[in-house]
Amino acid sequence: MPPIFAGIATIANAAIGIGSSPMALMSIIPLITIGFTYFRYNNLDPEVQPRDISRILPEYDFIVVGAGSAGAVVASRLSEVHNWTVLLLEAGGYESEISDIPSLAGYTQMSTMDWMYQTEPPGASAYCLAMVGDRCNWPRGKVLGGSSVLNAMIYIRGNRHDYDNWEAMGNTGWAYKDVLPFFLKSEDNRNPYLARTAYHRTGGYLTVQESPWRTPLSIAFLQAGKELGYDIRDLNGAKQTGFMLSQGTIRRGSRCSTAKAFLRPVRNRRNLHISMYSHATKILIDQKTKRAFGIKFSKHGRTHWVRARKEVILSSGAIGSPQLLMLSGVGPKDHLEEHQINLVQDLKVGYNLQDHIGLGGLTFVIDDPITFTKDRFQGASVIMEYILREQGPMTSLGGVEGLAFVNTRFANSSVDWPDIQFHFAPSSINSDGEQVKKITGLRDSVYNTVYKPLKHAETWTILPLLLRPKSSGWIRLRSRNPNHYPVINPNYFTHKEDILTLIDGIRIAMAVSNTSAFQRFNSRPHKIAFPGCAKYPFDTDEYWECSLRHFTFTIYHPTSTCKMGPPGDPTAVVDPRLKVHGLKGLRVVDASIMPHIVSGNTNAPTIMIGEKGADMIKEDWLKH
C-alpha cells in the first residue's frame, strides 16, 4: 500500500475510534485535510516519480523499449494522443537522491543505475592501456531517464554542418533548418540573455541553464580563449567556434533528466504505462509479413509477451538497440548464423560505431586554493547551501565549468566546423582520486605513479575531445543469450589523423595554460609521464601519442550502430523516417541512428531525435 493511503487509513481508523464526540471529530479534521492535501500534491506535483505499472495489458498501440534520453521523449509525446495506448519498458528503476545532485554525477557510474559495459581489449591499435585489463569502462544508464541520469548534464547541440551533412547523405528532413525546431520544442531556458535569442526557447519540458556556482578559474578560461583569438559566445547559437560557460540540463540546482523533464509531468496519463525492471529480450516479428508485432521481456523473473497494434520503437541506445535487433534476427547474416539465430533481415546492424575520444588526466597545477576538491566542498555549510538555497558547489555540472570548440590545422576554419572540443574543469584526477579510479578503471600503478603525488595539490584540467573521428568500431553479439553483454570494439586510433588531430588539440590546451589569464595563478603542466611513456621527452608527438593510447578517455558518446540512410545505402539500418529497412512496424529512435556522430555532446541531439521521431510517427499514423 502506498504511504499516503496507509496514512489516510490510519487517520480513518483513528476517527472511527473517537466515536461521535463533536470536539473529537473537529480535532481530526485538520489531520484529514493534511492527508488529502498531501495526496493531491503527491498526484499533481510534476516532480513526483512515475509509478511502475503492476498490471501490464496484453496489447498496446505502441511499445517503446528504453526510457532513456530518446525513449522518455517518444513515450511522452506519443501519449499526447489520448486514444493511443503506450507501453514504455525500462530495464532499470528509479533515479535517486544522489543522481539528482549535479556535482555527484561520477557517483552514479558503476552503480546499480549503470549497465557497466566495457570495451574489448585492443588489437593492433592500442588504447586504454592505463586501465585494468586494457579495457575502458562504458557507463550506460540502466534507470528511468537512461544516460541522462549518469552524464555531466552538458547541453550542446552539435554543429549545423553535422545535420546538413546528414541530409546530403540522402536523409531528407534532417538538415539543420529541419532539426532546430525540435531542439527548441524541448527547451525551457532559464538564462534570460540566452532565452531571448532566436536559438533558444522557454516553456518546454527540458530545463537548460548555466550552473549558479563556479570557481574563479571559469572566468580565466574565458579570458584565455579571448587571448588566443576566440570569441566568447553561445556555442548553441549562430556559430560554434569559441568559448563559453557550460550550459546544462539542470532545474533549481538539480539534474533535469529526461525522466524528470518528460515523464514526471505526464505520469497521470491513463494511456501511458511505464514498466520498470523490464528487460526486453526479443522483438516479435512475423517471418512472412516482415511485421514487428510485439516484444518479449522479463520482469522480476517472469517472462512477458506484449503485442503492439501499430509499432515497436527501439530507444535502447547505441549498444542496446543493435543487440536487441540482432537477437531478434535483424542484422548481418553471417554473424547471426554464427550464433544460430534465424535471419529475418540482413542489415549492417552494429557497424559504424563511433565515439568521441580524447586524452584523460591532462593536468595543470596552480598555487591558489580555488580549485574544486572533494575535501574542500564536502562540509555541512556546502550541503546546507544546496538544500536550502539550491545553490553552491553541489550545482556544478559534473565539475565541467567551461566548454570550447577550437580548430586544429586539420579543420577548415572558414566554414565554422571545429574539430576539437574542450571540457574545462577546475579539478583533476587527484581531486577525488578513489572515485575517479573506480569509474575510469585506472590501474593502481598508474594512479600511484602519476596522480598520487598531486594528492594535496591545486589542479585543473582540459579534456581535449576529437569531434569527428575517422576510426570506427562495431557491436557484436557475444552469444544468443540476451543476458550476455555484447562485444564492444570501439577500434580507436586506427586512423593516424585521429592521433595527429588530438595532439594539435592538446597543444592548444597547453596554450590555454600559458595565457596571462592562467599565468596569474602560476599555471604549469603536470609532467609525470605514464609508466609506459617515460621513454619519450615531454611534449613530443611520440609522448602525446603514447599518453593517448594509455589514458584513452571517452565521455561516453557511442552512436551510429543503426545508421540512418536512404534505401540505396547498403550500410543503412533505418530510413530517414527511422523505419527499419525491409520491415514494417519497427523503428529505431535513439543515438544509434546518427549516420555520423555530431560535433559535441550527444545528449541534446538524442533528445532532439526523440522529438523528431515522435513527430514523424504522429504524422505517419494520424494522416490515416
Side-chain angles (χ1 to χ4, degrees):
M1 179 183 293
I4 181 61
F5 293 124
I8 291 173
T10 302
I11 294 171
N13 289 333
I16 292 169
I18 287 171
S20 58
S21 165
M23 292 303 294
L25 285 172
M26 288 295 291
S27 69
I28 203 70
I29 285 173
L31 293 177
I32 295 173
T33 303
I34 291 169
F36 279 105
T37 300
Y38 179 78
F39 173 72
R40 182 176 180 278
Y41 170 82
N42 197 46
N43 274 271
L44 300 181
D45 176 25
E47 296 294 294
V48 171
Q49 297 269 22
R51 298 183 188 90
D52 180 15
I53 192 71
S54 57
R55 180 175 172 270
I56 298 168
L57 303 179
E59 190 174 54
Y60 293 82
D61 288 307
F62 297 94
I63 301 173
V64 182
V65 183
S69 296
V73 178
V74 173
S76 178
R77 294 304 188 186
L78 292 184
S79 63
E80 290 173 345
V81 182
H82 66 87
N83 61 341
W84 283 353
T85 55
V86 180
L87 173 64
L88 177 60
L89 299 176
E90 169 52 48
Y94 291 109
E95 301 166 87
S96 72
E97 291 78 5
I98 295 298
S99 66
D100 248 13
I101 302 173
S103 67
L104 299 183
Y107 285 78
T108 61
Q109 297 170 22
M110 303 301 288
S111 73
T112 56
M113 292 183 284
D114 181 5
W115 283 98
M116 294 187 277
Y117 292 117
Q118 286 189 314
T119 61
E120 294 298 296
S125 179
Y127 54 80
C128 303
L129 300 181
M131 281 65 173
V132 175
D134 298 346
R135 299 159 71 99
C136 277
N137 290 337
W138 267 26
R140 294 284 84 197
K142 188 181 183 182
V143 58
L144 206 64
S147 295
S148 73
V149 178
L150 271 61
N151 67 7
M153 295 147 284
I154 301 301
Y155 185 84
I156 286 288
R157 295 173 179 166
N159 190 288
R160 67 173 59 237
H161 297 294
D162 298 329
Y163 304 107
D164 290 345
N165 188 47
W166 289 7
E167 184 175 62
M169 297 169 68
N171 296 298
T172 304
W174 287 90
Y176 180 70
K177 65 179 175 57
D178 301 310
V179 303
L180 179 60
F182 292 100
F183 282 111
L184 299 177
K185 182 178 182 179
S186 294
E187 188 181 16
D188 180 26
N189 197 292
R190 299 285 176 92
N191 289 114
Y193 83 97
L194 293 171
R196 58 175 171 257
T197 72
Y199 293 93
H200 294 279
R201 289 289 187 276
T202 59
Y205 281 129
L206 184 73
T207 305
V208 177
Q209 65 177 84
E210 297 166 358
S211 169
W213 184 91
R214 61 189 68 95
T215 69
L217 288 178
S218 63
I219 305 305
F221 178 70
L222 299 184
Q223 293 170 338
K226 290 191 72 172
E227 285 188 51
L228 296 178
Y230 289 93
D231 289 330
I232 300 171
R233 58 161 44 106
D234 173 17
L235 303 181
N236 291 311
K239 293 184 178 181
Q240 190 184 51
T241 308
F243 283 58
M244 79 168 187
L245 296 175
S246 299
Q247 298 170 22
T249 51
I250 57 171
R251 177 186 297 161
R252 299 199 303 269
S254 297
R255 176 188 296 274
C256 185
S257 69
T258 55
K260 182 183 287 188
F262 291 90
L263 295 179
R264 295 190 191 186
V266 304
R267 72 190 189 94
N268 287 327
R269 285 181 185 163
R270 294 176 181 241
N271 64 331
L272 173 60
H273 287 181
I274 300 172
S275 182
M276 287 176 267
Y277 312 104
S278 301
H279 182 198
T281 56
K282 189 175 183 179
I283 309 160
L284 306 177
I285 304 173
D286 188 304
Q287 290 268 15
K288 292 182 180 179
T289 64
K290 295 291 186 81
R291 172 174 286 279
F293 63 88
I295 285 287
K296 176 185 176 183
F297 67 96
S298 62
K299 180 173 183 175
H300 302 317
R302 291 185 57 197
T303 300
H304 300 258
W305 290 265
V306 182
R307 296 180 67 92
R309 278 185 290 265
K310 290 182 169 65
E311 289 191 25
V312 172
I313 299 144
L314 301 190
S315 297
S316 300
I319 300 171
S321 287
Q323 182 186 20
L324 187 55
L325 283 170
M326 289 188 283
L327 288 168
S328 308
V330 182
K333 179 181 178 182
D334 292 346
H335 182 57
L336 298 188
E337 288 178 348
E338 176 189 340
H339 292 289
Q340 299 180 321
I341 296 172
N342 291 330
L343 180 69
V344 175
Q345 190 72 15
D346 184 10
L347 293 171
K348 294 288 188 180
V349 174
Y351 286 79
N352 197 42
L353 173 62
Q354 297 172 37
D355 185 24
H356 293 136
I357 199 69
L359 174 61
L362 178 62
T363 300
F364 301 90
V365 183
I366 62 171
D367 295 337
D368 298 52
I370 54 174
T371 63
F372 196 111
T373 64
K374 180 180 177 180
D375 292 341
R376 180 170 293 138
F377 295 120
Q378 64 180 0
S381 61
V382 170
I383 295 170
M384 293 309 296
E385 183 179 17
Y386 180 73
I387 293 171
L388 298 177
R389 300 180 58 211
E390 299 170 341
Q391 293 183 358
M394 298 185 83
T395 66
S396 176
L397 298 167
V400 179
E401 293 191 341
L403 301 168
F405 289 91
V406 299
N407 296 302
T408 73
R409 60 190 157 125
F410 298 99
N412 182 355
S413 58
S414 66
V415 295
D416 185 47
W417 206 1
D419 53 356
I420 290 288
Q421 181 182 7
F422 286 165
H423 289 71
F424 161 76
S427 58
S428 189
I429 307 301
N430 60 294
S431 304
D432 189 1
E434 290 305 313
Q435 185 63 20
V436 173
K437 268 200 306 178
K438 177 183 176 181
I439 64 177
T440 61
L442 199 64
R443 297 176 191 267
D444 285 341
S445 59
V446 174
Y447 179 81
N448 292 338
T449 300
V450 182
Y451 299 108
K452 195 170 184 179
L454 294 172
K455 185 173 183 181
H456 299 294
E458 301 289 334
T459 57
W460 63 275
T461 188
I462 283 179
L463 168 61
L465 208 65
L466 180 67
L467 290 175
R468 292 182 296 281
K470 296 187 179 298
S471 307
S472 63
W474 55 83
I475 302 289
R476 295 285 185 270
L477 294 178
R478 196 172 299 277
S479 78
R480 60 187 297 174
N481 185 335
N483 295 312
H484 291 172
Y485 280 11
V487 174
I488 301 171
N489 190 329
N491 213 28
Y492 296 137
F493 304 138
T494 51
H495 283 256
K496 184 69 173 181
E497 189 173 316
D498 289 351
I499 291 282
L500 296 176
T501 303
L502 275 167
I503 291 173
D504 271 21
I506 292 167
R507 295 220 166 94
I508 298 172
M510 299 286 283
V512 169
S513 175
N514 288 332
T515 60
S516 60
F518 275 98
Q519 284 307 304
R520 64 185 284 243
F521 302 108
N522 193 25
S523 179
R524 63 269 188 197
H526 177 54
K527 294 184 178 181
I528 297 179
F530 296 113
C533 305
K535 57 188 174 184
Y536 301 115
F538 181 78
D539 200 26
T540 60
D541 285 6
E542 294 79 8
Y543 177 89
W544 291 124
E545 177 171 355
C546 181
S547 299
L548 283 162
R549 293 187 183 277
H550 277 74
F551 205 155
T552 313
F553 200 80
T554 166
I555 53 172
Y556 322 122
H557 292 165
T559 68
S560 308
T561 49
C562 299
K563 178 187 173 185
M564 175 174 61
D569 182 350
T571 65
V573 176
V574 300
D575 67 17
R577 304 292 291 182
L578 306 187
K579 298 177 180 179
V580 176
H581 284 294
L583 298 177
K584 301 171 186 175
L586 181 61
R587 298 193 207 220
V588 182
V589 185
D590 59 29
S592 71
I593 66 94
M594 295 183 186
H596 287 305
I597 194 169
V598 293
S599 303
N601 305 72
T602 53
N603 192 53
T606 303
I607 294 170
M608 176 276 292
I609 290 168
E611 290 277 24
K612 185 168 172 59
D615 195 70
M616 290 191 293
I617 294 167
K618 287 179 177 179
E619 284 180 353
D620 290 347
W621 286 98
L622 293 178
K623 72 182 179 184
H624 296 301

PDB file of all heavy atoms in Angstrom, residues 90-92 110-118 138-143 147 150 279 316 323 482 485:
ATOM      1  N   GLU A  90      11.490  -0.189 -19.350  1.00  0.00           N
ATOM      2  CA  GLU A  90      12.807   0.239 -18.875  1.00  0.00           C
ATOM      3  C   GLU A  90      13.422  -0.866 -18.033  1.00  0.00           C
ATOM      4  O   GLU A  90      12.783  -1.372 -17.100  1.00  0.00           O
ATOM      5  CB  GLU A  90      12.695   1.528 -18.058  1.00  0.00           C
ATOM      6  CG  GLU A  90      13.954   1.934 -17.303  1.00  0.00           C
ATOM      7  CD  GLU A  90      15.193   1.987 -18.195  1.00  0.00           C
ATOM      8  OE1 GLU A  90      15.120   2.594 -19.288  1.00  0.00           O
ATOM      9  OE2 GLU A  90      16.235   1.419 -17.789  1.00  0.00           O
ATOM     10  N   ALA A  91      14.662  -1.242 -18.354  1.00  0.00           N
ATOM     11  CA  ALA A  91      15.331  -2.337 -17.637  1.00  0.00           C
ATOM     12  C   ALA A  91      15.696  -1.962 -16.212  1.00  0.00           C
ATOM     13  O   ALA A  91      15.800  -2.828 -15.344  1.00  0.00           O
ATOM     14  CB  ALA A  91      16.584  -2.774 -18.397  1.00  0.00           C
ATOM     15  N   GLY A  92      15.890  -0.674 -15.950  1.00  0.00           N
ATOM     16  CA  GLY A  92      16.279  -0.235 -14.615  1.00  0.00           C
ATOM     17  C   GLY A  92      15.113   0.279 -13.801  1.00  0.00           C
ATOM     18  O   GLY A  92      13.945   0.071 -14.142  1.00  0.00           O
ATOM     19  N   MET A 110      29.082   3.105 -12.452  1.00  0.00           N
ATOM     20  CA  MET A 110      29.483   1.875 -11.770  1.00  0.00           C
ATOM     21  C   MET A 110      28.590   1.622 -10.554  1.00  0.00           C
ATOM     22  O   MET A 110      29.027   1.118  -9.526  1.00  0.00           O
ATOM     23  CB  MET A 110      30.959   1.933 -11.356  1.00  0.00           C
ATOM     24  CG  MET A 110      31.928   2.189 -12.503  1.00  0.00           C
ATOM     25  SD  MET A 110      31.822   0.932 -13.802  1.00  0.00           S
ATOM     26  CE  MET A 110      32.592  -0.468 -12.987  1.00  0.00           C
ATOM     27  N   SER A 111      27.308   1.974 -10.698  1.00  0.00           N
ATOM     28  CA  SER A 111      26.315   1.735  -9.648  1.00  0.00           C
ATOM     29  C   SER A 111      25.198   0.870 -10.242  1.00  0.00           C
ATOM     30  O   SER A 111      25.269   0.447 -11.405  1.00  0.00           O
ATOM     31  CB  SER A 111      25.733   3.063  -9.149  1.00  0.00           C
ATOM     32  OG  SER A 111      24.851   3.623 -10.119  1.00  0.00           O
ATOM     33  N   THR A 112      24.148   0.633  -9.477  1.00  0.00           N
ATOM     34  CA  THR A 112      23.030  -0.168  -9.982  1.00  0.00           C
ATOM     35  C   THR A 112      22.280   0.546 -11.104  1.00  0.00           C
ATOM     36  O   THR A 112      21.485  -0.084 -11.809  1.00  0.00           O
ATOM     37  CB  THR A 112      22.040  -0.493  -8.848  1.00  0.00           C
ATOM     38  OG1 THR A 112      21.600   0.735  -8.247  1.00  0.00           O
ATOM     39  CG2 THR A 112      22.701  -1.370  -7.791  1.00  0.00           C
ATOM     40  N   MET A 113      22.511   1.826 -11.288  1.00  0.00           N
ATOM     41  CA  MET A 113      21.868   2.576 -12.369  1.00  0.00           C
ATOM     42  C   MET A 113      22.659   2.508 -13.672  1.00  0.00           C
ATOM     43  O   MET A 113      22.306   3.172 -14.645  1.00  0.00           O
ATOM     44  CB  MET A 113      21.682   4.042 -11.946  1.00  0.00           C
ATOM     45  CG  MET A 113      20.680   4.233 -10.834  1.00  0.00           C
ATOM     46  SD  MET A 113      20.406   5.973 -10.415  1.00  0.00           S
ATOM     47  CE  MET A 113      21.891   6.318  -9.483  1.00  0.00           C
ATOM     48  N   ASP A 114      23.715   1.736 -13.696  1.00  0.00           N
ATOM     49  CA  ASP A 114      24.655   1.688 -14.821  1.00  0.00           C
ATOM     50  C   ASP A 114      24.724   0.253 -15.345  1.00  0.00           C
ATOM     51  O   ASP A 114      24.853  -0.702 -14.573  1.00  0.00           O
ATOM     52  CB  ASP A 114      26.021   2.172 -14.318  1.00  0.00           C
ATOM     53  CG  ASP A 114      27.097   2.194 -15.388  1.00  0.00           C
ATOM     54  OD1 ASP A 114      26.800   1.922 -16.561  1.00  0.00           O
ATOM     55  OD2 ASP A 114      28.255   2.489 -15.017  1.00  0.00           O
ATOM     56  N   TRP A 115      24.644   0.095 -16.670  1.00  0.00           N
ATOM     57  CA  TRP A 115      24.843  -1.228 -17.268  1.00  0.00           C
ATOM     58  C   TRP A 115      26.277  -1.728 -17.067  1.00  0.00           C
ATOM     59  O   TRP A 115      26.538  -2.918 -17.128  1.00  0.00           O
ATOM     60  CB  TRP A 115      24.533  -1.181 -18.767  1.00  0.00           C
ATOM     61  CG  TRP A 115      23.075  -1.174 -19.102  1.00  0.00           C
ATOM     62  CD1 TRP A 115      22.297  -0.082 -19.406  1.00  0.00           C
ATOM     63  CD2 TRP A 115      22.202  -2.310 -19.186  1.00  0.00           C
ATOM     64  NE1 TRP A 115      21.006  -0.469 -19.675  1.00  0.00           N
ATOM     65  CE2 TRP A 115      20.919  -1.837 -19.550  1.00  0.00           C
ATOM     66  CE3 TRP A 115      22.377  -3.685 -18.993  1.00  0.00           C
ATOM     67  CZ2 TRP A 115      19.824  -2.684 -19.725  1.00  0.00           C
ATOM     68  CZ3 TRP A 115      21.283  -4.521 -19.167  1.00  0.00           C
ATOM     69  CH2 TRP A 115      20.024  -4.022 -19.532  1.00  0.00           C
ATOM     70  N   MET A 116      27.216  -0.794 -16.868  1.00  0.00           N
ATOM     71  CA  MET A 116      28.621  -1.126 -16.607  1.00  0.00           C
ATOM     72  C   MET A 116      29.242  -1.951 -17.749  1.00  0.00           C
ATOM     73  O   MET A 116      29.882  -2.978 -17.538  1.00  0.00           O
ATOM     74  CB  MET A 116      28.781  -1.857 -15.268  1.00  0.00           C
ATOM     75  CG  MET A 116      28.442  -0.974 -14.087  1.00  0.00           C
ATOM     76  SD  MET A 116      28.809  -1.704 -12.467  1.00  0.00           S
ATOM     77  CE  MET A 116      27.338  -2.697 -12.201  1.00  0.00           C
ATOM     78  N   TYR A 117      29.060  -1.471 -18.965  1.00  0.00           N
ATOM     79  CA  TYR A 117      29.704  -2.101 -20.113  1.00  0.00           C
ATOM     80  C   TYR A 117      31.205  -1.830 -20.095  1.00  0.00           C
ATOM     81  O   TYR A 117      31.676  -0.863 -19.475  1.00  0.00           O
ATOM     82  CB  TYR A 117      29.130  -1.544 -21.415  1.00  0.00           C
ATOM     83  CG  TYR A 117      27.690  -1.902 -21.689  1.00  0.00           C
ATOM     84  CD1 TYR A 117      26.711  -0.908 -21.772  1.00  0.00           C
ATOM     85  CD2 TYR A 117      27.299  -3.217 -21.889  1.00  0.00           C
ATOM     86  CE1 TYR A 117      25.388  -1.215 -22.045  1.00  0.00           C
ATOM     87  CE2 TYR A 117      25.978  -3.544 -22.161  1.00  0.00           C
ATOM     88  CZ  TYR A 117      25.029  -2.543 -22.244  1.00  0.00           C
ATOM     89  OH  TYR A 117      23.721  -2.852 -22.509  1.00  0.00           O
ATOM     90  N   GLN A 118      31.942  -2.670 -20.803  1.00  0.00           N
ATOM     91  CA  GLN A 118      33.376  -2.459 -21.007  1.00  0.00           C
ATOM     92  C   GLN A 118      33.731  -2.763 -22.451  1.00  0.00           C
ATOM     93  O   GLN A 118      33.112  -3.621 -23.096  1.00  0.00           O
ATOM     94  CB  GLN A 118      34.208  -3.364 -20.089  1.00  0.00           C
ATOM     95  CG  GLN A 118      34.234  -2.943 -18.632  1.00  0.00           C
ATOM     96  CD  GLN A 118      35.254  -3.750 -17.841  1.00  0.00           C
ATOM     97  OE1 GLN A 118      35.320  -4.971 -17.964  1.00  0.00           O
ATOM     98  NE2 GLN A 118      36.055  -3.080 -17.048  1.00  0.00           N
ATOM     99  N   TRP A 138      32.464   1.721 -20.088  1.00  0.00           N
ATOM    100  CA  TRP A 138      31.481   2.470 -20.881  1.00  0.00           C
ATOM    101  C   TRP A 138      30.170   2.535 -20.102  1.00  0.00           C
ATOM    102  O   TRP A 138      29.281   1.703 -20.310  1.00  0.00           O
ATOM    103  CB  TRP A 138      31.258   1.777 -22.231  1.00  0.00           C
ATOM    104  CG  TRP A 138      32.122   2.300 -23.339  1.00  0.00           C
ATOM    105  CD1 TRP A 138      33.337   2.894 -23.232  1.00  0.00           C
ATOM    106  CD2 TRP A 138      31.822   2.258 -24.743  1.00  0.00           C
ATOM    107  NE1 TRP A 138      33.834   3.222 -24.466  1.00  0.00           N
ATOM    108  CE2 TRP A 138      32.922   2.846 -25.416  1.00  0.00           C
ATOM    109  CE3 TRP A 138      30.751   1.779 -25.497  1.00  0.00           C
ATOM    110  CZ2 TRP A 138      32.970   2.967 -26.805  1.00  0.00           C
ATOM    111  CZ3 TRP A 138      30.801   1.903 -26.865  1.00  0.00           C
ATOM    112  CH2 TRP A 138      31.882   2.492 -27.521  1.00  0.00           C
ATOM    113  N   PRO A 139      30.021   3.491 -19.205  1.00  0.00           N
ATOM    114  CA  PRO A 139      28.758   3.607 -18.481  1.00  0.00           C
ATOM    115  C   PRO A 139      27.590   3.897 -19.425  1.00  0.00           C
ATOM    116  O   PRO A 139      27.716   4.705 -20.350  1.00  0.00           O
ATOM    117  CB  PRO A 139      28.997   4.798 -17.544  1.00  0.00           C
ATOM    118  CG  PRO A 139      30.476   4.947 -17.476  1.00  0.00           C
ATOM    119  CD  PRO A 139      30.998   4.500 -18.795  1.00  0.00           C
ATOM    120  N   ARG A 140      26.478   3.238 -19.193  1.00  0.00           N
ATOM    121  CA  ARG A 140      25.217   3.482 -19.914  1.00  0.00           C
ATOM    122  C   ARG A 140      24.096   3.361 -18.911  1.00  0.00           C
ATOM    123  O   ARG A 140      24.086   2.472 -18.066  1.00  0.00           O
ATOM    124  CB  ARG A 140      24.986   2.474 -21.034  1.00  0.00           C
ATOM    125  CG  ARG A 140      25.959   2.510 -22.204  1.00  0.00           C
ATOM    126  CD  ARG A 140      25.703   3.690 -23.153  1.00  0.00           C
ATOM    127  NE  ARG A 140      26.350   4.903 -22.690  1.00  0.00           N
ATOM    128  CZ  ARG A 140      26.055   6.132 -23.109  1.00  0.00           C
ATOM    129  NH1 ARG A 140      25.066   6.314 -23.970  1.00  0.00           N
ATOM    130  NH2 ARG A 140      26.708   7.168 -22.655  1.00  0.00           N
ATOM    131  N   GLY A 141      23.113   4.250 -19.001  1.00  0.00           N
ATOM    132  CA  GLY A 141      22.073   4.313 -17.993  1.00  0.00           C
ATOM    133  C   GLY A 141      21.135   3.125 -17.992  1.00  0.00           C
ATOM    134  O   GLY A 141      20.525   2.801 -19.016  1.00  0.00           O
ATOM    135  N   LYS A 142      21.013   2.474 -16.858  1.00  0.00           N
ATOM    136  CA  LYS A 142      20.030   1.408 -16.631  1.00  0.00           C
ATOM    137  C   LYS A 142      19.084   1.930 -15.551  1.00  0.00           C
ATOM    138  O   LYS A 142      19.082   1.483 -14.412  1.00  0.00           O
ATOM    139  CB  LYS A 142      20.735   0.124 -16.180  1.00  0.00           C
ATOM    140  CG  LYS A 142      19.836  -1.094 -16.105  1.00  0.00           C
ATOM    141  CD  LYS A 142      20.617  -2.309 -15.628  1.00  0.00           C
ATOM    142  CE  LYS A 142      19.749  -3.550 -15.606  1.00  0.00           C
ATOM    143  NZ  LYS A 142      20.488  -4.739 -15.091  1.00  0.00           N
ATOM    144  N   VAL A 143      18.270   2.913 -15.935  1.00  0.00           N
ATOM    145  CA  VAL A 143      17.475   3.676 -14.984  1.00  0.00           C
ATOM    146  C   VAL A 143      16.471   4.491 -15.783  1.00  0.00           C
ATOM    147  O   VAL A 143      16.690   4.778 -16.971  1.00  0.00           O
ATOM    148  CB  VAL A 143      18.401   4.593 -14.139  1.00  0.00           C
ATOM    149  CG1 VAL A 143      19.196   5.550 -15.022  1.00  0.00           C
ATOM    150  CG2 VAL A 143      17.621   5.377 -13.100  1.00  0.00           C
ATOM    151  N   SER A 147      20.892   7.378 -19.776  1.00  0.00           N
ATOM    152  CA  SER A 147      22.188   8.022 -19.557  1.00  0.00           C
ATOM    153  C   SER A 147      22.065   9.498 -19.228  1.00  0.00           C
ATOM    154  O   SER A 147      23.043  10.115 -18.806  1.00  0.00           O
ATOM    155  CB  SER A 147      23.087   7.823 -20.791  1.00  0.00           C
ATOM    156  OG  SER A 147      23.383   6.448 -20.960  1.00  0.00           O
ATOM    157  N   LEU A 150      23.142   9.676 -15.745  1.00  0.00           N
ATOM    158  CA  LEU A 150      24.543   9.408 -15.420  1.00  0.00           C
ATOM    159  C   LEU A 150      25.495  10.479 -15.930  1.00  0.00           C
ATOM    160  O   LEU A 150      26.623  10.584 -15.459  1.00  0.00           O
ATOM    161  CB  LEU A 150      24.979   8.067 -16.040  1.00  0.00           C
ATOM    162  CG  LEU A 150      24.778   6.791 -15.228  1.00  0.00           C
ATOM    163  CD1 LEU A 150      23.307   6.555 -14.923  1.00  0.00           C
ATOM    164  CD2 LEU A 150      25.324   5.584 -15.995  1.00  0.00           C
ATOM    165  N   HIS A 279      13.364  -6.092 -18.848  1.00  0.00           N
ATOM    166  CA  HIS A 279      14.461  -6.292 -19.788  1.00  0.00           C
ATOM    167  C   HIS A 279      13.943  -6.930 -21.068  1.00  0.00           C
ATOM    168  O   HIS A 279      13.547  -8.096 -21.075  1.00  0.00           O
ATOM    169  CB  HIS A 279      15.535  -7.173 -19.139  1.00  0.00           C
ATOM    170  CG  HIS A 279      16.731  -7.401 -20.008  1.00  0.00           C
ATOM    171  ND1 HIS A 279      17.625  -8.428 -19.797  1.00  0.00           N
ATOM    172  CD2 HIS A 279      17.192  -6.742 -21.099  1.00  0.00           C
ATOM    173  CE1 HIS A 279      18.568  -8.388 -20.704  1.00  0.00           C
ATOM    174  NE2 HIS A 279      18.322  -7.375 -21.509  1.00  0.00           N
ATOM    175  N   SER A 316      16.856   1.967 -27.131  1.00  0.00           N
ATOM    176  CA  SER A 316      17.753   1.361 -26.131  1.00  0.00           C
ATOM    177  C   SER A 316      19.193   1.816 -26.265  1.00  0.00           C
ATOM    178  O   SER A 316      20.062   1.318 -25.563  1.00  0.00           O
ATOM    179  CB  SER A 316      17.678  -0.168 -26.246  1.00  0.00           C
ATOM    180  OG  SER A 316      16.366  -0.621 -26.026  1.00  0.00           O
ATOM    181  N   GLN A 323      21.937  -4.710 -30.210  1.00  0.00           N
ATOM    182  CA  GLN A 323      21.926  -6.030 -29.584  1.00  0.00           C
ATOM    183  C   GLN A 323      20.542  -6.666 -29.700  1.00  0.00           C
ATOM    184  O   GLN A 323      20.413  -7.837 -30.079  1.00  0.00           O
ATOM    185  CB  GLN A 323      22.333  -5.941 -28.115  1.00  0.00           C
ATOM    186  CG  GLN A 323      22.372  -7.313 -27.438  1.00  0.00           C
ATOM    187  CD  GLN A 323      22.627  -7.268 -25.949  1.00  0.00           C
ATOM    188  OE1 GLN A 323      22.424  -6.239 -25.306  1.00  0.00           O
ATOM    189  NE2 GLN A 323      23.072  -8.382 -25.390  1.00  0.00           N
ATOM    190  N   PRO A 482      20.330 -13.200 -24.233  1.00  0.00           N
ATOM    191  CA  PRO A 482      20.144 -11.751 -24.083  1.00  0.00           C
ATOM    192  C   PRO A 482      20.739 -11.177 -22.805  1.00  0.00           C
ATOM    193  O   PRO A 482      20.901  -9.956 -22.688  1.00  0.00           O
ATOM    194  CB  PRO A 482      18.621 -11.584 -24.096  1.00  0.00           C
ATOM    195  CG  PRO A 482      18.072 -12.913 -23.713  1.00  0.00           C
ATOM    196  CD  PRO A 482      19.043 -13.929 -24.222  1.00  0.00           C
ATOM    197  N   TYR A 485      26.406  -9.666 -22.122  1.00  0.00           N
ATOM    198  CA  TYR A 485      26.709  -8.358 -22.699  1.00  0.00           C
ATOM    199  C   TYR A 485      27.343  -8.520 -24.084  1.00  0.00           C
ATOM    200  O   TYR A 485      28.097  -9.467 -24.327  1.00  0.00           O
ATOM    201  CB  TYR A 485      27.661  -7.580 -21.795  1.00  0.00           C
ATOM    202  CG  TYR A 485      26.979  -6.921 -20.615  1.00  0.00           C
ATOM    203  CD1 TYR A 485      25.660  -7.216 -20.277  1.00  0.00           C
ATOM    204  CD2 TYR A 485      27.643  -5.988 -19.829  1.00  0.00           C
ATOM    205  CE1 TYR A 485      25.033  -6.609 -19.204  1.00  0.00           C
ATOM    206  CE2 TYR A 485      27.034  -5.378 -18.752  1.00  0.00           C
ATOM    207  CZ  TYR A 485      25.722  -5.702 -18.435  1.00  0.00           C
ATOM    208  OH  TYR A 485      25.097  -5.095 -17.367  1.00  0.00           O
TER     209      TYR A 485
END
